[in-house]
mmCIF file with all atom_site columns, all heavy atoms in Angstrom:
data_model
loop_
_atom_site.group_PDB
_atom_site.id
_atom_site.type_symbol
_atom_site.label_atom_id
_atom_site.label_alt_id
_atom_site.label_comp_id
_atom_site.label_asym_id
_atom_site.label_entity_id
_atom_site.label_seq_id
_atom_site.pdbx_PDB_ins_code
_atom_site.Cartn_x
_atom_site.Cartn_y
_atom_site.Cartn_z
_atom_site.occupancy
_atom_site.B_iso_or_equiv
_atom_site.pdbx_formal_charge
_atom_site.auth_seq_id
_atom_site.auth_comp_id
_atom_site.auth_asym_id
_atom_site.auth_atom_id
_atom_site.pdbx_PDB_model_num
ATOM 1  N N   . LEU B 1 23 ? 23.826 -108.028 13.388 1.00 0.00 ? 36 LEU B N   1
ATOM 2  C CA  . LEU B 1 23 ? 24.368 -108.731 14.545 1.00 0.00 ? 36 LEU B CA  1
ATOM 3  C C   . LEU B 1 23 ? 23.487 -109.872 15.016 1.00 0.00 ? 36 LEU B C   1
ATOM 4  O O   . LEU B 1 23 ? 23.941 -110.835 15.593 1.00 0.00 ? 36 LEU B O   1
ATOM 5  C CB  . LEU B 1 23 ? 24.581 -107.733 15.728 1.00 0.00 ? 36 LEU B CB  1
ATOM 6  C CG  . LEU B 1 23 ? 25.563 -106.628 15.512 1.00 0.00 ? 36 LEU B CG  1
ATOM 7  C CD1 . LEU B 1 23 ? 25.754 -105.791 16.707 1.00 0.00 ? 36 LEU B CD1 1
ATOM 8  C CD2 . LEU B 1 23 ? 26.941 -107.184 15.039 1.00 0.00 ? 36 LEU B CD2 1
ATOM 9  N N   . GLN B 1 24 ? 22.177 -109.823 14.659 1.00 0.00 ? 37 GLN B N   1
ATOM 10 C CA  . GLN B 1 24 ? 21.242 -110.900 15.088 1.00 0.00 ? 37 GLN B CA  1
ATOM 11 C C   . GLN B 1 24 ? 21.067 -111.936 14.027 1.00 0.00 ? 37 GLN B C   1
ATOM 12 O O   . GLN B 1 24 ? 20.113 -112.707 14.055 1.00 0.00 ? 37 GLN B O   1
ATOM 13 C CB  . GLN B 1 24 ? 19.907 -110.314 15.513 1.00 0.00 ? 37 GLN B CB  1
ATOM 14 C CG  . GLN B 1 24 ? 19.971 -109.244 16.586 1.00 0.00 ? 37 GLN B CG  1
ATOM 15 C CD  . GLN B 1 24 ? 20.330 -109.850 17.956 1.00 0.00 ? 37 GLN B CD  1
ATOM 16 O OE1 . GLN B 1 24 ? 19.885 -110.907 18.304 1.00 0.00 ? 37 GLN B OE1 1
ATOM 17 N NE2 . GLN B 1 24 ? 21.202 -109.126 18.665 1.00 0.00 ? 37 GLN B NE2 1
ATOM 18 N N   . GLY B 1 25 ? 21.882 -111.882 12.961 1.00 0.00 ? 38 GLY B N   1
ATOM 19 C CA  . GLY B 1 25 ? 21.898 -113.029 12.039 1.00 0.00 ? 38 GLY B CA  1
ATOM 20 C C   . GLY B 1 25 ? 21.288 -112.845 10.683 1.00 0.00 ? 38 GLY B C   1
ATOM 21 O O   . GLY B 1 25 ? 21.005 -113.811 9.971  1.00 0.00 ? 38 GLY B O   1
ATOM 22 N N   . HIS B 1 26 ? 21.042 -111.592 10.248 1.00 0.00 ? 39 HIS B N   1
ATOM 23 C CA  . HIS B 1 26 ? 20.639 -111.369 8.841  1.00 0.00 ? 39 HIS B CA  1
ATOM 24 C C   . HIS B 1 26 ? 21.848 -111.520 7.946  1.00 0.00 ? 39 HIS B C   1
ATOM 25 O O   . HIS B 1 26 ? 22.816 -110.711 8.029  1.00 0.00 ? 39 HIS B O   1
ATOM 26 C CB  . HIS B 1 26 ? 20.096 -109.944 8.739  1.00 0.00 ? 39 HIS B CB  1
ATOM 27 C CG  . HIS B 1 26 ? 19.508 -109.597 7.410  1.00 0.00 ? 39 HIS B CG  1
ATOM 28 N ND1 . HIS B 1 26 ? 20.219 -109.683 6.264  1.00 0.00 ? 39 HIS B ND1 1
ATOM 29 C CD2 . HIS B 1 26 ? 18.280 -109.151 7.041  1.00 0.00 ? 39 HIS B CD2 1
ATOM 30 C CE1 . HIS B 1 26 ? 19.459 -109.321 5.219  1.00 0.00 ? 39 HIS B CE1 1
ATOM 31 N NE2 . HIS B 1 26 ? 18.245 -109.006 5.717  1.00 0.00 ? 39 HIS B NE2 1
ATOM 32 N N   . VAL B 1 27 ? 21.927 -112.564 7.162  1.00 0.00 ? 40 VAL B N   1
ATOM 33 C CA  . VAL B 1 27 ? 23.150 -112.816 6.365  1.00 0.00 ? 40 VAL B CA  1
ATOM 34 C C   . VAL B 1 27 ? 23.000 -112.240 4.945  1.00 0.00 ? 40 VAL B C   1
ATOM 35 O O   . VAL B 1 27 ? 23.999 -112.096 4.240  1.00 0.00 ? 40 VAL B O   1
ATOM 36 C CB  . VAL B 1 27 ? 23.481 -114.313 6.269  1.00 0.00 ? 40 VAL B CB  1
ATOM 37 C CG1 . VAL B 1 27 ? 23.948 -114.794 7.584  1.00 0.00 ? 40 VAL B CG1 1
ATOM 38 C CG2 . VAL B 1 27 ? 22.282 -115.095 5.732  1.00 0.00 ? 40 VAL B CG2 1
ATOM 39 N N   . GLY B 1 28 ? 21.821 -111.918 4.494  1.00 0.00 ? 41 GLY B N   1
ATOM 40 C CA  . GLY B 1 28 ? 21.638 -111.366 3.107  1.00 0.00 ? 41 GLY B CA  1
ATOM 41 C C   . GLY B 1 28 ? 22.120 -109.934 3.053  1.00 0.00 ? 41 GLY B C   1
ATOM 42 O O   . GLY B 1 28 ? 22.743 -109.402 3.962  1.00 0.00 ? 41 GLY B O   1
ATOM 43 N N   . SER B 1 29 ? 21.780 -109.285 1.910  1.00 0.00 ? 42 SER B N   1
ATOM 44 C CA  . SER B 1 29 ? 22.301 -107.929 1.804  1.00 0.00 ? 42 SER B CA  1
ATOM 45 C C   . SER B 1 29 ? 21.416 -106.946 2.498  1.00 0.00 ? 42 SER B C   1
ATOM 46 O O   . SER B 1 29 ? 20.170 -107.087 2.539  1.00 0.00 ? 42 SER B O   1
ATOM 47 C CB  . SER B 1 29 ? 22.530 -107.534 0.313  1.00 0.00 ? 42 SER B CB  1
ATOM 48 O OG  . SER B 1 29 ? 21.357 -107.690 -0.383 1.00 0.00 ? 42 SER B OG  1
ATOM 49 N N   . ILE B 1 30 ? 21.988 -105.928 3.073  1.00 0.00 ? 43 ILE B N   1
ATOM 50 C CA  . ILE B 1 30 ? 21.270 -104.849 3.725  1.00 0.00 ? 43 ILE B CA  1
ATOM 51 C C   . ILE B 1 30 ? 21.692 -103.542 3.060  1.00 0.00 ? 43 ILE B C   1
ATOM 52 O O   . ILE B 1 30 ? 22.842 -103.116 3.094  1.00 0.00 ? 43 ILE B O   1
ATOM 53 C CB  . ILE B 1 30 ? 21.624 -104.781 5.249  1.00 0.00 ? 43 ILE B CB  1
ATOM 54 C CG1 . ILE B 1 30 ? 21.302 -106.149 5.942  1.00 0.00 ? 43 ILE B CG1 1
ATOM 55 C CG2 . ILE B 1 30 ? 20.922 -103.617 5.957  1.00 0.00 ? 43 ILE B CG2 1
ATOM 56 C CD1 . ILE B 1 30 ? 21.742 -106.197 7.392  1.00 0.00 ? 43 ILE B CD1 1
ATOM 57 N N   . ILE B 1 31 ? 20.691 -102.976 2.324  1.00 0.00 ? 44 ILE B N   1
ATOM 58 C CA  . ILE B 1 31 ? 20.967 -101.739 1.575  1.00 0.00 ? 44 ILE B CA  1
ATOM 59 C C   . ILE B 1 31 ? 20.411 -100.557 2.340  1.00 0.00 ? 44 ILE B C   1
ATOM 60 O O   . ILE B 1 31 ? 19.191 -100.543 2.680  1.00 0.00 ? 44 ILE B O   1
ATOM 61 C CB  . ILE B 1 31 ? 20.291 -101.855 0.207  1.00 0.00 ? 44 ILE B CB  1
ATOM 62 C CG1 . ILE B 1 31 ? 20.797 -103.103 -0.574 1.00 0.00 ? 44 ILE B CG1 1
ATOM 63 C CG2 . ILE B 1 31 ? 20.490 -100.568 -0.605 1.00 0.00 ? 44 ILE B CG2 1
ATOM 64 C CD1 . ILE B 1 31 ? 20.041 -103.345 -1.851 1.00 0.00 ? 44 ILE B CD1 1
ATOM 65 N N   . VAL B 1 32 ? 21.292 -99.626  2.698  1.00 0.00 ? 45 VAL B N   1
ATOM 66 C CA  . VAL B 1 32 ? 20.850 -98.498  3.487  1.00 0.00 ? 45 VAL B CA  1
ATOM 67 C C   . VAL B 1 32 ? 20.874 -97.226  2.601  1.00 0.00 ? 45 VAL B C   1
ATOM 68 O O   . VAL B 1 32 ? 21.954 -96.867  2.148  1.00 0.00 ? 45 VAL B O   1
ATOM 69 C CB  . VAL B 1 32 ? 21.756 -98.282  4.771  1.00 0.00 ? 45 VAL B CB  1
ATOM 70 C CG1 . VAL B 1 32 ? 21.174 -97.196  5.637  1.00 0.00 ? 45 VAL B CG1 1
ATOM 71 C CG2 . VAL B 1 32 ? 21.903 -99.585  5.526  1.00 0.00 ? 45 VAL B CG2 1
ATOM 72 N N   . VAL B 1 33 ? 19.730 -96.648  2.409  1.00 0.00 ? 46 VAL B N   1
ATOM 73 C CA  . VAL B 1 33 ? 19.556 -95.544  1.471  1.00 0.00 ? 46 VAL B CA  1
ATOM 74 C C   . VAL B 1 33 ? 19.360 -94.275  2.253  1.00 0.00 ? 46 VAL B C   1
ATOM 75 O O   . VAL B 1 33 ? 18.582 -94.234  3.191  1.00 0.00 ? 46 VAL B O   1
ATOM 76 C CB  . VAL B 1 33 ? 18.342 -95.804  0.560  1.00 0.00 ? 46 VAL B CB  1
ATOM 77 C CG1 . VAL B 1 33 ? 18.173 -94.639  -0.458 1.00 0.00 ? 46 VAL B CG1 1
ATOM 78 C CG2 . VAL B 1 33 ? 18.397 -97.140  -0.112 1.00 0.00 ? 46 VAL B CG2 1
ATOM 79 N N   . ASP B 1 34 ? 20.018 -93.172  1.835  1.00 0.00 ? 47 ASP B N   1
ATOM 80 C CA  . ASP B 1 34 ? 19.715 -91.884  2.483  1.00 0.00 ? 47 ASP B CA  1
ATOM 81 C C   . ASP B 1 34 ? 19.903 -90.722  1.479  1.00 0.00 ? 47 ASP B C   1
ATOM 82 O O   . ASP B 1 34 ? 20.933 -90.737  0.761  1.00 0.00 ? 47 ASP B O   1
ATOM 83 C CB  . ASP B 1 34 ? 20.551 -91.630  3.756  1.00 0.00 ? 47 ASP B CB  1
ATOM 84 C CG  . ASP B 1 34 ? 19.908 -90.614  4.640  1.00 0.00 ? 47 ASP B CG  1
ATOM 85 O OD1 . ASP B 1 34 ? 19.714 -89.457  4.212  1.00 0.00 ? 47 ASP B OD1 1
ATOM 86 O OD2 . ASP B 1 34 ? 19.519 -90.981  5.796  1.00 0.00 ? 47 ASP B OD2 1
#
Side-chain angles (χ1 to χ4, degrees):
Chain B
L36 296 184
Q37 304 289 321
H39 185 303
V40 290
S42 58
I43 302 177
I44 302 170
V45 188
V46 182
D47 202 298

